[in-house]
């Protein structure tokens, strides 16, 4: 008999299979496998926001952040660490580095307390200035919190609460720091982390009941306006969640976007609450430009004029801003009238007009007051 | 089959391998074959299957084992599906895990086939490519990772064998590529692929023809071609009947009702969002009626507002009417312009509502 590769392989795989395999029984084997899996998942024992080892090390190497120092020691040669304010920083996993030491990992309850500290004492505090530095610090420390959650395979209510606050923080930041210089705020990096948190959060919602699910399904849809994947996801949600006011409003906005009806979209946007505006705001400028594009074609005529004030109202912009937007898009505008022409509209990317110019003009004081309640979701 | 011993079974398989009878060997290995019911043969383990996949590559300049690979990969995908369902019912495991792993295995088979440049055309493993691609498509669509289809499509497009595969394989391939084109909003392409798939699908495969039609219908409707009642009845797709009626009459009320009524079906098939795109066609048909009624080329905007209100379209005002009209003009569905000062839509005296199929 010729021994081909296949038959040899079959003989080899027969080894080790026999009575023992049959005796143990399948159910038993499954249990053993599960137990083994359980044992290899680390469980954190660090009850402070920052592991003691890291705290000592960073203090000795002068690598504490301003927000972690004992008040008054900031200008010392070696500032002192404030145990009640120091937070574990994010560190990239690397070969040879053991990130699973239990004493360095924080259990879910501590992680939640850490997030609350970051939001209440840092992000919402009026004494932490400038806010770009606040963002940088909180962003990094939240990332470390999520890292601890991943290593310990945390799931359940604590995980959901941490993710919800992270999402709100990142959405809020995307609005407040919109238009800032790239070195202080990179919208793409913020977006990457926001999407990661959102998909993890939405995945967690599949099991059990969650109090804020409707709110976040709506926020996810608004943030990802125009994405058919996000739309399909919402359409497949259970009736109870889909019919909630938040999701219905988000769906209405999404429908207006899909039907390419910017007049309707901008009107619906007025009914959004603050955090929802944060989620959708980056889509509003393109929506306004689209309105000008559609009207440039629809109202294209040498002799006709359109009242500027009415256009400004449709765009939900002050007259001066509406004029600027028209100019950037190549739409002819005089003091009171707009003359649409499909040949004069230009599709210059970004142009000179920034999204930021169209935001609510809040001053720093009012920004700080609103931060805490917005991020915790008590508005 | 039910009575042979393990040794007899293996003897048959080995003989098939020796004589390079790929088809028979494939049958013997497939889980669809009656031999599976034989309890004496149930020592065969999954490891065997992956062993076969590795040794397959060792066949230089031969491709007689292709049917075996087909059977093995098909079983692999079906097992992965079942494994997914079992895990889901127990509440364990991340959705799509099993299928992704199966896809990885299939990709390695695919690479073996695609890189077979040495053998002559008759012995080339490239003939296995389309089958594997179809299996991979099925997985990618299931786990909703359509972007992974792109490199596979490119591979076939650049292949010189693409028109020579069996019709069955090509029908399946065009079905999935057509669906992907729909997803990318490339409706002209989608129509081309899905129409090919439908006409070339064997008339005895009613179930498959119906599946293709589910996706072909919305695309055709977007291009202005409504299905006949006869066709819908023949393939048991009466869910589309109300939608069709609403769109051709310009009846927005009926369209909304129809979409809500069969929501579950449309969402499950993944065509709900595309059907919503029919709204703009419905507006166009409604406004065309207004034009025909008023018999003038200077149409008061108010007339359109009245028409919309009659269709129970809620909270719409003159500004939104202008926006909808502007959109239709921009898309080329209406030839004309809006005069806000005169509150009129002025349309071209010639062919103001061009036929839908001529508008891209």
């Amino acid at each position: 008999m010729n021994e081909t590769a296949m038959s040899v392989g079959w003989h080899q795989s027969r080894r080790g299979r026999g009575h023992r395999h049959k005796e143990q029984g399948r159910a038993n084997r499954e249990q053993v496998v599960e137990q083994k899996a359980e044992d290899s998942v680390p469980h954190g024992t660090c009850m402070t926001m920052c592991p003691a080892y890291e705290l000592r090390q960073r203090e000795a190497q002068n690598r504490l952040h301003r927000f972690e120092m004992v008040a008054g020691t900031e200008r010392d040669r070696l500032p002192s660490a404030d145990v009640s304010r120091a937070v574990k920083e994010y560190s990239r996993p690397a070969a040879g580095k053991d990130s699973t030491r239990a004493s360095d990992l924080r259990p879910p309850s501590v992680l939640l307390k850490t997030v609350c500290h970051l939001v209440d004492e840092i992000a919402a505090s009026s004494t932490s200035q400038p806010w770009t530095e606040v963002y940088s610090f909180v962003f990094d420390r939240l990332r470390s919190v999520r890292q601890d959650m991943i290593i310990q395979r945390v799931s359940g209510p604590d995980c959901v609460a941490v993710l919800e606050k992270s999402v709100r923080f990142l959405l809020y930041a995307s609005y407040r720091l919109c238009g800032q210089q790239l070195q202080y705020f990179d919208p793409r990096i913020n977006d990457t982390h926001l999407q990661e948190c959102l998909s993890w959060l939405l995945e967690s919602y599949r099991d059990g009941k969650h109090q804020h699910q409707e709110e976040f399904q709506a926020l996810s849809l608004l943030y990802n306006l125009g994405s058919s994947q996000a739309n399909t996801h919402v359409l497949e949600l259970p009736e109870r969640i889909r019919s909630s006011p938040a999701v219905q409003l988000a769906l209405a906005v999404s429908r207006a976007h899909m039907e390419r009806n910017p007049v309707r979209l901008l009107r619906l946007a007025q009914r959004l609450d603050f955090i929802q505006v944060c989620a959708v705001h980056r889509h509003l400028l393109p929506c306004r430009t689209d309105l000008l594009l559609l009207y440039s074609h629809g109202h294209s005529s040498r002799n006709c004029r359109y009242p500027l004030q009415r256009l400004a109202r449709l765009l939900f912009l002050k007259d001066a801003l509406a004029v600027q937007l028209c100019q950037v898009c190549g739409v002819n505008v005089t003091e009171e009238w707009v003359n649409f022409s499909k040949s004069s509209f230009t599709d210059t990317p970004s142009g000179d007009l920034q999204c930021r110019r169209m935001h609510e003009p809040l001053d720093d004081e009012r920004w700080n007051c609103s931060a805490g309640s917005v991020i915790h979701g008590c508005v | 089959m039910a009575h042979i011993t393990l040794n007899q079974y293996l003897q048959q398989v080995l003989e098939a391998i020796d004589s390079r009878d790929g088809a028979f060997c494939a049958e013997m290995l497939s889980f669809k074959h009656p031999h599976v019911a034989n309890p004496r043969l149930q020592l065969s383990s999954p490891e065997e299957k992956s062993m076969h996949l590795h040794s397959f590559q060792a066949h230089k300049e031969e491709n007689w084992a292709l049917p075996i690979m087909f059977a093995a990969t098909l079983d692999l995908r079906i097992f992965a599906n079942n494994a997914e369902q079992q895990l889901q019912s127990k509440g364990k495991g991340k959705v799509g895990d099993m299928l992704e792993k199966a896809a990885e295995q299939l990709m390695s088979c695919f690479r073996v086939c695609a890189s077979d440049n040495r053998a002559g055309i008759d012995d080339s493993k490239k003939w296995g490519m389309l089958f594997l691609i179809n299996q991979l498509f099925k997985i990618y669509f299931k786990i909703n990772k359509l972007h992974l289809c792109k490199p596979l499509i490119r591979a076939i497009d650049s292949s010189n064998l693409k028109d020579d595969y069996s019709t069955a394989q090509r029908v399946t391939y065009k079905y999935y590529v057509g669906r992907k084109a729909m997803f990318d909003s490339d409706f002209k392409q989608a129509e081309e692929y899905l129409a090919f798939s439908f006409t070339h699908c064997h008339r005895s495969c009613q179930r498959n023809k119906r599946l293709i039609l589910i996706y072909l219908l919305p695309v055709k409707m977007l291009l202005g071609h409504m299905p006949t009642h006869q066709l819908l009845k023949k393939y048991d797709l009466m869910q589309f009947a109300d939608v069709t009626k609403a769109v051709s009459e310009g009846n927005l009320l009926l369209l909304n009702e129809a979409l809500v009524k069969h929501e579950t079906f449309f969402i499950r098939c993944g065509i709900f969002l595309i059907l919503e795109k029919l709204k703009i066609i419905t507006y166009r048909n409604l406004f065309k009626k207004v034009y025909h009624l008023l018999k003038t080329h200077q149409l008061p905007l108010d007339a359109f507002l009245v028409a919309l209100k009659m269709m129970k379209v809620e909270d719409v005002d003159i500004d939104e009417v202008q926006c909808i009209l502007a959109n239709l003009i921009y898309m080329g569905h209406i030839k004309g312009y809006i005069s806000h000062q005169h509150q009129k839509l002025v349309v071209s005296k010639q062919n103001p509502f061009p036929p839908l199929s001529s508008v891209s």
Side-chain angles (χ1 to χ4, degrees):
Chain A
M1 187 171 72
N2 268 340
E3 289 236 319
T4 63
M6 284 189 202
S7 56
V8 167
W10 184 83
H11 283 307
Q12 280 175 342
S13 72
R14 199 163 175 234
R15 259 192 251 138
R17 307 202 149 273
H19 298 294
R20 219 172 122 221
H21 164 75
K22 284 186 198 145
E23 263 173 34
Q24 268 193 312
R26 263 183 73 206
N28 233 356
R29 245 195 21 182
E30 269 181 14
Q31 269 181 352
V32 168
V33 167
E34 259 181 55
Q35 189 59 46
K36 281 215 172 107
E38 278 281 315
D39 289 345
S40 63
V41 176
H43 287 292
T45 55
C46 171
M47 302 309 281
T48 51
M49 294 194 295
C50 184
Y53 174 74
E54 178 184 313
L55 189 62
R56 283 195 301 273
Q57 196 186 43
R58 282 203 284 133
E59 187 183 42
Q61 296 172 356
N62 198 8
R63 285 195 298 116
L64 292 171
H65 193 282
R66 198 158 61 84
F67 300 147
E68 299 172 310
M69 299 172 183
V70 173
T73 64
E74 293 96 342
R75 295 192 191 276
D76 294 358
R77 194 181 55 82
L78 213 56
S80 314
D82 185 344
V83 182
S84 67
R85 291 165 71 224
V87 184
K88 180 179 178 187
E89 63 179 7
Y90 173 76
S91 71
R92 215 168 279 287
K97 202 197 292 186
D98 181 18
S99 38
T100 60
R101 256 203 320 248
S103 54
D104 285 347
L105 291 169
R106 299 160 288 180
S109 52
V110 177
L111 289 173
L112 189 52
K113 271 196 254 162
T114 307
V115 173
C116 291
H117 164 82
L118 288 169
V119 171
D120 294 328
E121 307 304 322
I122 314 290
S125 153
S126 49
T127 54
S128 319
Q129 297 285 351
W131 213 77
T132 45
E133 207 181 329
V134 169
Y135 169 76
S136 171
F137 178 73
V138 175
F139 180 91
D140 178 85
R141 300 310 193 256
L142 278 180
R143 199 177 175 192
S144 163
V145 164
R146 287 200 301 279
Q147 194 179 33
D148 276 13
M149 286 208 299
I150 292 174
I151 296 174
Q152 297 174 83
R153 315 249 184 111
V154 174
S155 61
D158 281 337
C159 173
V160 167
V162 165
L163 289 172
E164 286 177 349
K165 291 188 204 293
S166 300
V167 166
R168 284 206 199 95
F169 170 76
L170 293 168
L171 283 175
Y172 174 81
S174 77
Y175 189 64
R176 181 166 178 173
L177 296 179
C178 172
Q180 283 282 345
Q181 290 171 298
L182 223 56
Q183 66 201 101
Y184 297 129
F185 176 72
D186 187 336
R188 268 170 320 166
I189 296 181
N190 197 65
D191 174 64
T192 310
H193 286 257
L194 192 42
Q195 298 287 20
E196 265 173 36
C197 286
L198 272 172
S199 55
W200 188 354
L201 183 59
L202 296 185
E203 186 67 37
S204 309
Y205 280 148
R206 284 183 202 268
D207 307 310
K209 275 191 148 118
H210 301 275
Q211 203 186 352
H212 302 126
Q213 193 188 156
E214 295 90 349
E215 179 195 340
F216 283 91
Q217 297 286 5
L219 286 175
S220 173
L221 184 57
L222 288 168
Y223 186 68
N224 290 306
L225 201 62
S227 149
S228 38
Q229 214 161 358
N231 253 293
T232 315
H233 169 85
V234 170
L235 288 173
E236 290 170 354
L237 289 172
E239 174 68 26
R240 183 180 53 88
I241 303 191
R242 231 184 334 138
S243 55
S244 66
V247 177
Q248 284 293 306
L249 181 54
L251 276 172
V253 172
S254 176
R255 215 171 293 130
H257 187 266
M258 267 197 300
E259 289 174 27
R260 209 163 178 181
N261 189 336
V263 167
R264 193 177 185 84
L265 202 164
L266 290 167
R267 278 193 187 151
L268 285 168
Q270 304 309 307
R271 288 168 36 190
L272 298 173
D273 66 29
F274 183 67
I275 193 74
Q276 288 171 327
V277 170
C278 294
V280 89
H281 89 275
R282 62 186 182 151
H283 300 286
L284 295 181
L285 178 52
C287 175
R288 291 179 167 113
T289 330
D290 204 38
L291 197 157
L292 291 179
L293 167 65
L294 292 177
Y295 274 44
S296 288
H297 277 73
H299 292 70
S300 185
S301 157
R302 239 177 322 154
N303 306 320
C304 293
R305 305 179 301 177
Y306 194 96
L308 172 64
Q309 267 197 340
R310 199 185 180 104
L311 182 64
R313 275 212 308 274
L314 286 183
L315 293 167
F316 286 95
L317 291 176
K318 293 207 167 63
D319 286 10
L321 263 180
V323 169
Q324 280 195 315
L325 184 60
C326 286
Q327 284 167 340
V328 167
C329 294
V331 175
N332 298 318
V333 56
T334 64
E335 266 194 28
E336 283 182 33
W337 301 100
V338 179
N339 177 255
F340 288 112
S341 149
K342 62 183 166 199
S343 50
S344 75
F345 180 89
T346 52
D347 202 5
T348 42
S350 73
D352 292 340
L353 200 62
Q354 284 181 314
C355 174
R356 185 167 54 99
R357 303 284 303 280
M358 299 176 192
H359 291 190
E360 279 278 39
L362 289 177
D363 52 48
D364 267 343
E365 175 78 25
R366 288 177 59 190
W367 272 120
N368 288 334
C369 286
S370 65
S373 47
V374 166
I375 302 173
H376 277 313
C378 319
V379 184
Chain B
M1 259 301 119
H3 304 296
I4 67 168
T5 66
L6 182 59
N7 276 334
Q8 287 171 323
Y9 168 74
L10 289 171
Q11 189 66 24
Q12 292 196 13
V13 173
L14 284 171
E15 272 174 19
I17 292 172
D18 275 345
S19 58
R20 286 170 157 67
D21 189 348
F24 183 68
C25 204
E27 265 188 68
M28 295 300 282
L29 289 173
S30 163
F31 261 62
K32 290 197 179 132
H33 194 260
H35 78 264
V36 178
N38 186 341
R40 296 190 200 182
L41 299 182
Q42 278 180 12
L43 285 181
S44 70
S45 60
E47 280 89 78
E48 241 177 87
K49 290 258 150 48
S50 41
M51 207 66 70
H52 295 146
L53 296 174
H54 287 299
S55 55
F56 172 62
Q57 182 174 15
H59 292 180
K60 304 266 181 246
E61 295 168 18
E62 293 169 349
N63 65 355
W64 62 268
L66 277 177
I68 305 176
M69 183 196 71
F70 290 171
T73 50
L74 179 61
D75 285 342
L76 179 63
R77 187 177 62 81
I78 293 174
F79 285 159
N81 253 330
N82 290 341
E84 283 266 348
Q85 284 177 350
Q86 280 195 8
L87 284 176
Q88 286 301 304
S89 63
K90 289 189 189 162
K92 288 185 205 166
K94 202 161 161 250
V95 178
D97 252 356
M98 289 287 113
L99 285 169
E100 283 205 45
K101 290 200 179 114
E104 275 168 46
Q105 289 280 6
L106 289 172
M107 271 310 268
S108 35
C109 285
F110 177 73
R111 279 186 211 109
V112 169
C113 290
S115 55
D116 183 12
N117 291 317
R118 289 169 48 178
I121 203 85
D122 285 334
D123 297 320
S124 172
K125 294 195 189 64
K126 286 195 170 170
W127 287 108
M129 276 168 70
L130 201 55
F131 182 89
L132 285 171
I133 284 182
N134 287 339
Q135 295 298 318
L136 283 164
F137 277 168
K138 291 187 190 193
I139 295 181
Y140 293 153
F141 268 78
K142 195 105 193 260
I143 58 175
N144 204 5
K145 291 208 170 153
L146 268 66
H147 60 280
L148 295 172
C149 297
K150 220 162 127 206
L152 302 174
I153 298 175
R154 251 183 297 148
I156 289 295
D157 272 348
S158 58
S159 154
N160 48 4
L161 295 178
K162 67 170 173 253
D163 293 322
D164 300 322
Y165 288 101
S166 75
T167 310
Q169 287 182 9
R170 280 189 300 149
V171 163
T172 310
Y173 174 76
K174 298 237 170 175
Y175 166 72
Y176 282 109
V177 180
R179 278 185 65 185
K180 175 148 195 317
M182 267 177 92
F183 193 78
D184 296 334
S185 301
D186 190 354
F187 298 117
K188 281 248 157 87
Q189 279 276 39
E191 200 219 351
E192 204 187 293
Y193 288 127
L194 290 168
F196 176 95
S197 194
F198 184 69
T199 40
H200 289 80
C201 180
H202 199 274
R203 76 168 72 92
S204 62
C205 304
Q206 284 285 326
R207 191 180 156 272
N208 286 351
K209 278 190 106 96
R210 180 174 183 268
L211 256 176
I212 301 170
L213 213 47
I214 289 177
Y215 297 97
L216 182 55
L217 284 174
V219 172
K220 281 225 171 226
M221 286 201 274
L222 274 170
L223 295 169
H225 305 298
M226 301 295 146
T228 61
H229 217 72
Q230 236 180 341
L231 182 69
L232 295 178
K233 252 207 148 102
K234 181 176 177 192
Y235 289 99
D236 187 25
L237 286 173
M238 293 308 284
Q239 295 93 335
F240 288 93
D242 282 340
V243 174
T244 309
K245 185 162 184 275
V247 173
S248 37
E249 287 175 6
N251 189 339
L252 279 156
L253 181 61
L254 183 60
L255 178 64
N256 284 329
E257 283 175 0
L259 287 178
V260 166
K261 189 162 153 203
H262 302 291
E263 204 178 51
T264 327
F265 173 74
F266 292 144
I267 292 177
R268 210 169 5 104
C269 295
I271 52 174
F272 187 80
L273 292 175
I274 294 186
L275 289 172
E276 289 222 312
K277 287 198 207 275
L278 288 170
K279 274 204 190 131
I280 197 85
I281 311 285
T282 317
Y283 281 127
R284 178 255 183 207
N285 288 340
L286 178 64
F287 292 168
K288 185 175 178 191
K289 278 191 169 172
V290 173
Y291 163 71
H292 280 304
L293 274 172
L294 296 181
K295 298 199 208 311
T296 163
H297 75 281
Q298 288 187 351
L299 302 151
L301 294 178
D302 221 34
F304 298 110
L305 186 56
V306 167
L308 287 173
K309 293 259 194 247
M310 275 180 64
M311 291 296 164
K312 307 270 198 316
V313 178
E314 300 297 316
D315 60 335
V316 102
D317 65 357
I318 250 341
D319 286 316
E320 274 202 55
V321 168
Q322 283 195 28
C323 191
I324 297 169
L325 285 169
N327 201 353
L328 286 169
I329 295 171
Y330 175 71
M331 289 178 68
H333 287 303
I334 300 181
K335 298 225 288 255
Y337 67 91
I338 304 166
S339 165
H340 178 84
Q341 289 165 289
H342 300 110
Q343 288 286 292
K344 282 200 162 65
L345 169 73
V346 181
V347 296
S348 158
K349 292 205 173 98
Q350 276 183 335
N351 203 13
F353 288 82
L356 285 166
S357 45
S358 65
V359 177
S360 65

